[in-house]
Amino acid sequence: QVQLVESGGGLVQPGGSLRLSCAASGFVFTTYVMSWYRQAPGKERELVAGIGSVVGSTNYADNVKGRFTISRDNAKKMVYLQMNSLVPEDTAVYYCKSVNRWSGNAYWGQGTQVTVSS
């Protein structure tokens, strides 16, 4: 059973930082591309950041470049999203996603709420 479990969300003031974690189980972690998406109320779900399955190449949405960092620990089967200099526009439910690099099969976590407010 493939499972992705996010944690680390919460309430933070503008300018603050949070680190989201995604714990993976039930599959060979190194064969999956990992990414973070977010969805704010009334908006479409959007890609925030992605990281390659082994090499670790990364990509970011334009509005988070320089502020967010995605990383993965293959030994621990974890993927992280370090979020710095948070602004209210970052408020959303953040989802962890895995995609098998060969089959294209995709799996989603349950999401974790991030609220940036003073």
Side-chain angles (χ1 to χ4, degrees):
Q1 182 180 1
V2 174
Q3 287 190 309
L4 299 171
V5 181
E6 301 99 332
S7 62
L11 175 65
V12 64
Q13 293 186 343
S17 298
L18 284 174
R19 188 178 76 158
L20 305 183
S21 299
C22 175
S25 63
F27 60 96
V28 180
F29 187 69
T30 54
T31 66
Y32 283 76
V33 176
M34 304 298 297
S35 59
W36 288 96
Y37 284 71
R38 69 185 182 186
Q39 187 167 23
K43 303 188 73 175
E44 296 291 320
R45 189 172 297 186
E46 63 178 353
L47 175 67
V48 177
I51 187 166
S53 59
V54 178
V55 175
S57 60
T58 58
N59 63 283
Y60 298 91
D62 288 341
N63 56 3
V64 306
K65 286 181 179 177
R67 299 190 297 119
F68 291 10
T69 303
I70 188 172
S71 61
R72 66 190 294 161
D73 185 332
N74 288 338
K76 294 183 173 67
K77 296 183 178 181
M78 298 285 290
V79 62
Y80 307 97
L81 185 68
Q82 179 66 47
M83 305 185 295
N84 300 325
S85 302
L86 286 162
V87 295
E89 290 74 24
D90 295 321
T91 296
V93 177
Y94 284 71
Y95 298 90
C96 181
K97 180 186 180 182
S98 66
V99 179
N100 186 284
R101 62 184 294 188
W102 306 117
S103 71
N105 291 342
Y107 303 91
W108 293 88
Q110 82 288 348
T112 185
Q113 177 71 48
V114 172
T115 302
V116 184
S117 176
S118 60

